[in-house]
Amino acid sequence: MTDQSVAQLVFGLMAFLSLGGALGVVMARTVFVSALWLILSFVGVAGLYVTLGAGFLAVVQVLVYVGAISVLILFAIMLTEDVMGDEQPNNNQVGLALIVLVPLIFGLGKWAFTANWPIKVASVVPTGGLSISAAQAARLPGAMQAGDAMRVPGSVAYLGRVLMTEHFLAFEVVSVVLLVALVGAIVIARD
């Protein structure tokens, strides 16, 4: 097997894990089990980020969604009275959901396999197989200079700069909303 086929196989397994977890979320009979399936789906999405070369997003996915959001959901479920009492699904819309879901999945699948996806090829600075120092590599044509990472969309430095400059207010508002939600959950739990 070539490296590309292994990468495609791992990507397919991670996609299957994500979709299987999502299916488990909607098919579970209890809210607690549904939350556990959601954690599996989040882990699958983190695996997809790893296979796509977005390591930072994978780490954020694991820390924020698998770690924080899932624990918050599990705490909310555990603080709810009689959460495990209802073993029967409380809807009768499975048939309607299938009528909508099957054509949607086939349509998205057809679109995904027939779309013209652009492939970005990374530019490599040739060194002729020689071992060179970082200072010598910085002087090569096309090499990034100090501070360039702040202007490269998708880099961690760029993300940090954008979050702390252009989107600082939104970033802080989200943190305040999460803090208010946590205080509200504590107040509700005490009653």
Side-chain angles (χ1 to χ4, degrees), residues 8-87:
Q8 287 177 346
L9 178 68
V10 171
F11 183 86
L13 289 173
M14 290 297 115
F16 181 74
L17 185 70
S18 298
L19 292 175
L23 186 63
V25 169
V26 297
M27 299 297 286
R29 296 203 180 266
T30 63
V31 179
F32 184 77
V33 174
S34 183
L36 295 177
W37 281 110
L38 184 65
I39 292 171
L40 181 67
S41 184
F42 285 158
V43 169
V45 170
L48 286 173
Y49 287 146
V50 168
T51 60
L52 293 173
F56 177 73
L57 286 178
V59 170
V60 169
Q61 176 77 17
V62 169
L63 290 177
V64 173
Y65 285 100
V66 175
I69 301 297
S70 298
V71 169
L72 180 67
I73 290 171
L74 289 173
F75 275 142
I77 290 170
M78 296 308 247
L79 290 173
T80 304
E81 292 180 26
D82 197 28
V83 72
M84 300 300 247
D86 186 19
E87 291 288 327

Side-chain angles (χ1 to χ4, degrees), residues 108-172:
L108 287 174
K110 182 179 183 237
W111 173 73
F113 284 108
T114 59
N116 184 14
W117 299 99
I119 297 174
K120 190 186 331 179
V121 178
S123 61
V124 177
V125 178
T127 61
L130 301 174
S131 176
I132 60 174
S133 68
Q136 292 170 330
R139 289 192 296 269
L140 290 172
M144 289 181 60
Q145 302 300 319
D148 284 350
M150 296 286 264
R151 293 183 288 278
V152 177
S155 70
V156 176
Y158 177 79
L159 180 64
R161 184 185 64 79
V162 170
L163 279 178
M164 293 299 138
T165 56
E166 298 170 27
H167 301 291
F168 182 73
L169 182 62
F171 190 70
E172 290 301 317

Side-chain angles (χ1 to χ4, degrees), residues 90-117:
N90 55 3
N91 66 47
N92 297 323
Q93 301 173 353
V94 173
L96 179 63
L98 286 175
I99 291 172
V100 172
L101 184 67
V102 170
L104 180 68
I105 287 176
F106 280 118
L108 287 174
K110 182 179 183 237
W111 173 73
F113 284 108
T114 59
N116 184 14
W117 299 99

